[in-house]
Amino acid sequence: MKNFLTSESVSEGHPDKICDLISDSILDEIISHRPDSRVAVETMSAQGLIVISGEISTDCYVDIHSICKNTLKEIGYTRPEYGLDYQTCAVLTTIQSQSDDIAMGVDTGGAGDQGMMFGYATNETPEYMPMTIAYAHKLIKRVADLRKSNHLKYLRPDGKSQVTVEYENGKPKRIDAIVLSVQHDPDISLEEIRQDLREHVIDHVIKHEMIDDDTKIFVNPTGLFVKGGPEADTGLTGRKIIVDTYGGMAKHGGGCFSGKDPTKVDRSAAYMARYVAKNLVAAGIADQLEIQLSYAIGIKEPISISVNTFNTGKFNDESIINVIKKLFDLTPLGIIDQLNLRRPIYKKTAAYGHFGRDEEGFTWELLDKIDEIKKLIK
């Protein structure tokens, strides 16, 4: 049986990703001074304007305006013609402290809100991620690297990628379609852009055996992409949650990650669920596995745990859940301690995916429970 899955990614200069990066940059700066601070920061980007709002409870001071502008500079919004210039853009803030009603539950080690979080892993790629989202991230990250190194000087900060994979009997067979849309200077030809991106991006990232004569490749399909970023589209924190997670292969609970300190289970429990799923798949429990955790505000333990192995499991669900309960502390404080989350590690998660990255600080990607899982499973 054949089926197709498509996933997308966006560059750090995309209007929504700008907001995720600013929110997480503020979070990192605050918890670098006071790791126990409570932070939930939302950002909006528009032409010439950044608006930052949310709840922060801390006794340290950080210069939010400077953090915002430095982040825009790092992304590449350094010229007025981009529609957003870090030197001249307006930054508005409206910040309040966390609600006392919510704080009561968090102060005792309980969850800060109700909700469900999902984690997923598959053995179809070395990253234990769906091939679609893994390639989508790599493509647009490669575009950003070429822009920042001035290898392709005409590139501007905004951009998107999209990859469609054909699956046969549940396994990736071939790349069916690739879409790359990159912002560029007005004086470059579409022919040159398409030639450069095929040579320096697509051929560099995608394994040649995955592309065949029937693979459809679209580079800037409308022709021009000069106007981009917040000049072309308003951005908001948390509007790319499928990009941030599994590209649509697995479910998402609905709560975004960026701008939230680790007491927020929207973020920390989703990281823990990924950690659990990845170690279980790496231990050979299943070829792919999705775990759902659910929480109630003020309650420490998850109120439900469920797994789905998509008929690839080597053990029944009850046995898998028993291993999870024995091996992993799923309380909010237990998650924070086990994954060492009270550190300024969040800014680099904000673009190119929170999962599937073998980088310092991504503790939820560690494969350090495999032997214990194999000993416990029955």
Side-chain angles (χ1 to χ4, degrees):
M1 293 180 60
K2 293 182 180 181
N3 66 296
F4 297 82
L5 179 72
T6 301
S7 298
E8 72 161 348
S9 184
V10 298
S11 75
E12 61 208 72
H14 184 278
D16 296 327
K17 276 293 148 209
I18 293 171
C19 298
D20 289 340
L21 278 157
I22 291 172
S23 295
D24 273 336
S25 296
I26 294 168
L27 168 64
D28 272 0
E29 184 65 20
I30 291 171
I31 63 176
S32 70
H33 296 287
R34 287 303 301 263
D36 59 346
S37 299
R38 307 278 170 77
V39 182
V41 176
E42 310 282 350
T43 303
M44 183 193 78
S45 64
Q47 184 173 2
L49 174 66
I50 300 292
V51 179
I52 300 168
S53 63
E55 298 80 45
I56 299 175
S57 295
T58 188
D59 59 5
C60 72
Y61 171 78
V62 298
D63 187 342
I64 289 178
H65 285 68
S66 294
I67 294 168
C68 175
K69 292 189 174 236
N70 287 337
T71 303
L72 291 173
K73 181 181 180 182
E74 291 171 9
I75 293 170
Y77 282 99
T78 56
R79 298 163 65 180
E81 56 263 39
Y82 293 172
L84 187 67
D85 177 18
Y86 82 98
Q87 299 180 87
T88 59
C89 74
V91 180
L92 305 180
T93 61
T94 169
I95 303 291
Q96 61 190 26
S97 61
Q98 184 182 59
S99 161
D100 291 338
D101 295 340
I102 295 174
M104 283 191 301
V106 180
D107 291 342
T108 59
D113 202 353
Q114 70 177 43
M116 62 279 191
M117 299 83 209
F118 291 89
Y120 176 81
T122 173
N123 60 13
E124 69 183 55
T125 64
E127 303 90 352
Y128 291 90
M129 291 288 287
M131 183 175 287
T132 50
I133 191 68
Y135 272 144
H137 285 322
K138 290 176 182 178
L139 286 169
I140 202 64
K141 178 64 163 57
R142 175 70 176 168
V143 171
D145 291 343
L146 292 171
R147 172 177 63 86
K148 291 183 174 182
S149 67
N150 281 323
H151 190 86
L152 297 179
K153 295 183 179 181
Y154 56 80
L155 291 174
R156 291 184 175 184
D158 200 356
K160 291 183 175 184
S161 64
Q162 187 170 286
V163 175
T164 302
V165 171
E166 178 185 330
Y167 286 79
E168 189 169 75
N169 298 321
K171 301 295 183 182
K173 181 182 179 182
R174 54 181 290 276
I175 303 290
D176 186 65
I178 298 169
V179 183
L180 269 176
S181 296
V182 298
Q183 189 186 14
H184 57 85
D185 291 342
D187 55 354
I188 190 75
S189 71
L190 181 60
E191 180 181 358
E192 185 174 351
I193 295 171
R194 287 175 172 169
Q195 180 178 331
D196 284 344
L197 292 193
R198 179 62 194 260
E199 177 183 351
H200 298 294
V201 179
I202 296 172
D203 291 346
H204 181 86
V205 169
I206 307 290
K207 291 182 178 180
H208 66 87
E209 62 267 23
M210 295 300 294
I211 297 178
D212 58 29
D213 292 340
D214 294 323
T215 299
K216 301 176 285 291
I217 297 177
F218 304 96
V219 175
N220 284 17
T222 61
L224 291 177
F225 188 1
V226 174
K227 182 181 289 188
E231 182 182 22
D233 189 13
T234 301
L236 293 170
T237 296
R239 210 160 52 175
K240 287 292 179 285
I241 57 178
I242 299 301
V243 172
D244 290 339
T245 53
Y246 307 103
M249 178 69 87
K251 301 182 187 71
H252 192 289
C256 77
F257 303 152
S258 290
K260 295 178 180 177
D261 75 80
T263 67
K264 278 66 172 179
V265 286
D266 274 341
R267 183 171 218 161
S268 56
Y271 287 179
M272 190 63 168
R274 162 64 176 176
Y275 178 57
V276 173
K278 185 177 180 181
N279 275 271
L280 288 168
V281 170
I285 302 305
D287 292 337
Q288 58 176 320
L289 186 143
E290 179 186 80
I291 176 175
Q292 183 199 63
L293 306 174
S294 67
Y295 291 84
I297 188 167
I299 306 301
K300 296 179 181 180
E301 296 287 345
I303 60 173
S304 73
I305 304 171
S306 64
V307 296
N308 182 1
T309 63
F310 306 93
N311 297 317
T312 69
K314 312 302 189 295
F315 304 87
N316 62 48
D317 292 354
E318 184 179 1
S319 297
I320 297 171
I321 291 172
N322 285 336
V323 169
I324 294 170
K325 289 179 176 179
K326 290 177 181 178
L327 199 53
F328 299 95
D329 186 343
L330 301 177
T331 65
L333 292 181
I335 293 170
I336 290 170
D337 290 342
Q338 185 159 351
L339 298 182
N340 195 13
L341 296 180
R342 293 194 191 274
R343 297 180 294 152
I345 57 174
Y346 299 104
K347 180 180 179 181
K348 57 186 173 183
T349 70
Y352 313 116
H354 293 247
F355 307 124
R357 297 168 63 179
D358 183 19
E359 301 175 35
E360 197 281 326
F362 287 71
T363 50
W364 49 94
E365 294 297 318
L366 295 175
L367 291 173
D368 54 2
K369 298 292 186 182
I370 295 174
D371 291 339
E372 292 173 87
I373 290 170
K374 290 180 177 179
K375 289 177 183 178
L376 284 174
I377 194 71
K378 296 180 181 179

